[in-house]
Amino acid sequence: MVLLLIGAWQRERWLRHKRQVLTEILDLADALERELLECRARLREIPALAASLSPSEQLSARATLAAEPQVQDALRDLLAHRLWLKDHAADASIGELTSARDALVATRTSLNAQLARLANVRADFEQTVRPPR
Protein backbone atom coordinates (compact mmCIF):
# COMPACT_ATOMS: atom_id res chain seq x y z
CA MET A 1 0.00 0.00 0.00
CA VAL A 2 2.81 2.40 0.90
CA LEU A 3 4.58 1.63 -2.39
CA LEU A 4 1.38 2.31 -4.28
CA LEU A 5 1.01 5.69 -2.57
CA ILE A 6 4.64 6.57 -3.25
CA GLY A 7 4.21 5.57 -6.90
CA ALA A 8 1.04 7.66 -7.22
CA TRP A 9 2.76 10.62 -5.56
CA GLN A 10 5.76 10.36 -7.92
CA ARG A 11 3.52 10.12 -10.96
CA GLU A 12 1.52 13.15 -9.85
CA ARG A 13 4.75 15.06 -9.27
CA TRP A 14 6.02 14.07 -12.74
CA LEU A 15 2.75 15.10 -14.39
CA ARG A 16 2.76 18.44 -12.56
CA HIS A 17 6.34 19.08 -13.69
CA LYS A 18 5.44 18.16 -17.29
CA ARG A 19 2.44 20.53 -17.25
CA GLN A 20 4.67 23.28 -15.88
CA VAL A 21 7.25 22.80 -18.64
CA LEU A 22 4.50 22.72 -21.29
CA THR A 23 3.02 25.93 -19.91
CA GLU A 24 6.46 27.58 -20.00
CA ILE A 25 6.97 26.45 -23.60
CA LEU A 26 3.61 27.82 -24.70
CA ASP A 27 4.19 31.12 -22.89
CA LEU A 28 7.66 31.43 -24.44
CA ALA A 29 6.28 30.58 -27.89
CA ASP A 30 3.59 33.27 -27.54
CA ALA A 31 6.16 35.84 -26.45
CA LEU A 32 8.54 34.87 -29.25
CA GLU A 33 5.77 35.17 -31.83
CA ARG A 34 4.90 38.67 -30.58
CA GLU A 35 8.57 39.68 -30.71
CA LEU A 36 9.05 38.25 -34.21
CA LEU A 37 6.01 40.14 -35.47
CA GLU A 38 7.32 43.32 -33.83
CA CYS A 39 10.72 42.78 -35.42
CA ARG A 40 9.14 42.31 -38.85
CA ALA A 41 7.09 45.50 -38.41
CA ARG A 42 10.19 47.46 -37.39
CA LEU A 43 12.14 46.13 -40.36
CA ARG A 44 9.39 47.25 -42.70
CA GLU A 45 9.50 50.79 -41.28
CA ILE A 46 13.16 51.35 -42.15
CA PRO A 47 12.77 52.07 -45.90
CA ALA A 48 10.29 54.85 -45.13
CA LEU A 49 12.73 56.33 -42.64
CA ALA A 50 15.55 56.07 -45.16
CA ALA A 51 13.61 57.69 -48.02
CA SER A 52 15.09 61.12 -47.32
CA LEU A 53 18.66 59.84 -47.06
CA SER A 54 21.31 59.84 -49.75
CA PRO A 55 21.31 56.90 -52.19
CA SER A 56 24.27 55.20 -50.47
CA GLU A 57 22.61 55.54 -47.07
CA GLN A 58 19.35 54.21 -48.55
CA LEU A 59 21.23 51.15 -49.78
CA SER A 60 22.47 50.56 -46.25
CA ALA A 61 18.93 50.92 -44.91
CA ARG A 62 17.54 48.50 -47.47
CA ALA A 63 20.22 45.98 -46.50
CA THR A 64 18.51 45.64 -43.14
CA LEU A 65 15.50 44.22 -44.97
CA ALA A 66 17.63 41.18 -45.75
CA ALA A 67 16.76 40.09 -42.21
CA GLU A 68 13.05 39.85 -43.00
CA PRO A 69 13.26 36.36 -44.58
CA GLN A 70 15.00 35.20 -41.41
CA VAL A 71 12.06 36.48 -39.38
CA GLN A 72 9.66 34.66 -41.70
CA ASP A 73 11.72 31.47 -41.32
CA ALA A 74 11.64 31.85 -37.54
CA LEU A 75 7.85 32.25 -37.62
CA ARG A 76 7.57 29.09 -39.75
CA ASP A 77 9.85 27.22 -37.34
CA LEU A 78 7.75 28.40 -34.43
CA LEU A 79 4.62 27.11 -36.14
CA ALA A 80 6.35 23.76 -36.74
CA HIS A 81 7.24 23.58 -33.03
CA ARG A 82 3.65 24.35 -32.06
CA LEU A 83 2.40 21.60 -34.38
CA TRP A 84 4.95 19.17 -32.95
CA LEU A 85 3.76 20.02 -29.44
CA LYS A 86 0.15 19.50 -30.48
CA ASP A 87 0.95 16.08 -31.88
CA HIS A 88 3.60 14.86 -29.40
CA ALA A 89 3.27 16.74 -26.10
CA ALA A 90 1.44 13.87 -24.44
CA ASP A 91 4.20 11.39 -25.38
CA ALA A 92 7.22 13.68 -25.07
CA SER A 93 9.70 13.13 -22.29
CA ILE A 94 10.56 15.86 -19.81
CA GLY A 95 14.00 15.99 -21.45
CA GLU A 96 12.52 16.66 -24.89
CA LEU A 97 10.24 19.33 -23.49
CA THR A 98 13.06 20.93 -21.53
CA SER A 99 15.19 21.02 -24.69
CA ALA A 100 12.33 22.69 -26.57
CA ARG A 101 11.93 25.25 -23.79
CA ASP A 102 15.68 25.96 -23.72
CA ALA A 103 15.73 26.42 -27.50
CA LEU A 104 12.93 28.98 -27.26
CA VAL A 105 14.79 30.85 -24.52
CA ALA A 106 17.95 30.94 -26.66
CA THR A 107 16.00 32.15 -29.70
CA ARG A 108 14.33 34.90 -27.69
CA THR A 109 17.68 36.02 -26.28
CA SER A 110 19.13 36.24 -29.78
CA LEU A 111 16.05 38.04 -31.10
CA ASN A 112 16.15 40.57 -28.27
CA ALA A 113 19.74 41.39 -29.21
CA GLN A 114 18.61 41.86 -32.83
CA LEU A 115 15.74 44.10 -31.72
CA ALA A 116 18.15 46.23 -29.70
CA ARG A 117 20.41 46.65 -32.76
CA LEU A 118 17.37 47.47 -34.88
CA ALA A 119 16.33 50.13 -32.37
CA ASN A 120 19.81 51.64 -32.61
CA VAL A 121 19.67 51.66 -36.43
CA ARG A 122 16.28 53.32 -36.31
CA ALA A 123 17.52 55.95 -33.85
CA ASP A 124 20.51 56.63 -36.12
CA PHE A 125 18.21 57.05 -39.14
CA GLU A 126 15.89 59.34 -37.26
CA GLN A 127 18.83 61.42 -36.05
CA THR A 128 20.21 61.66 -39.61
CA VAL A 129 16.81 62.68 -40.98
CA ARG A 130 16.05 65.04 -38.12
CA PRO A 131 19.31 66.21 -36.54
CA PRO A 132 19.05 67.33 -32.90
CA ARG A 133 18.39 71.02 -32.35
Side-chain angles (χ1 to χ4, degrees):
M1 180 66 167
V2 171
L3 289 176
L4 188 61
L5 288 174
I6 290 173
W9 174 76
Q10 286 179 330
R11 177 151 174 76
E12 179 58 34
R13 192 169 150 230
W14 179 83
L15 288 171
R16 194 174 330 121
H17 182 59
K18 188 172 182 175
R19 276 192 304 270
Q20 177 187 357
V21 174
L22 278 169
T23 299
E24 289 173 9
I25 289 171
L26 294 173
D27 289 347
L28 285 166
D30 290 344
L32 178 59
E33 183 176 15
R34 281 190 304 274
E35 290 163 358
L36 284 166
L37 293 173
E38 176 187 346
C39 183
R40 184 175 64 187
R42 287 184 186 181
L43 283 169
R44 289 178 177 175
E45 291 172 351
I46 289 177
L49 291 171
S52 62
L53 300 175
S54 70
S56 65
E57 290 171 322
Q58 285 182 10
L59 183 61
S60 172
R62 287 193 179 93
T64 61
L65 288 178
E68 189 170 341
Q70 294 170 334
V71 172
Q72 288 301 117
D73 289 344
L75 284 165
R76 268 191 294 282
D77 288 346
L78 184 58
L79 177 59
H81 285 287
R82 287 183 190 267
L83 292 172
W84 181 87
L85 275 175
K86 179 182 168 231
D87 294 339
H88 301 285
D91 304 337
S93 70
I94 295 289
E96 289 172 318
L97 295 175
T98 301
S99 293
R101 180 193 61 201
D102 294 347
L104 284 171
V105 168
T107 300
R108 281 190 71 208
T109 300
S110 174
L111 181 61
N112 285 333
Q114 296 288 353
L115 285 171
R117 283 195 289 275
L118 195 53
N120 290 337
V121 166
R122 182 185 176 122
D124 289 346
F125 282 141
E126 288 176 346
Q127 189 172 37
T128 300
V129 172
R130 289 174 282 190
R133 295 173 197 193

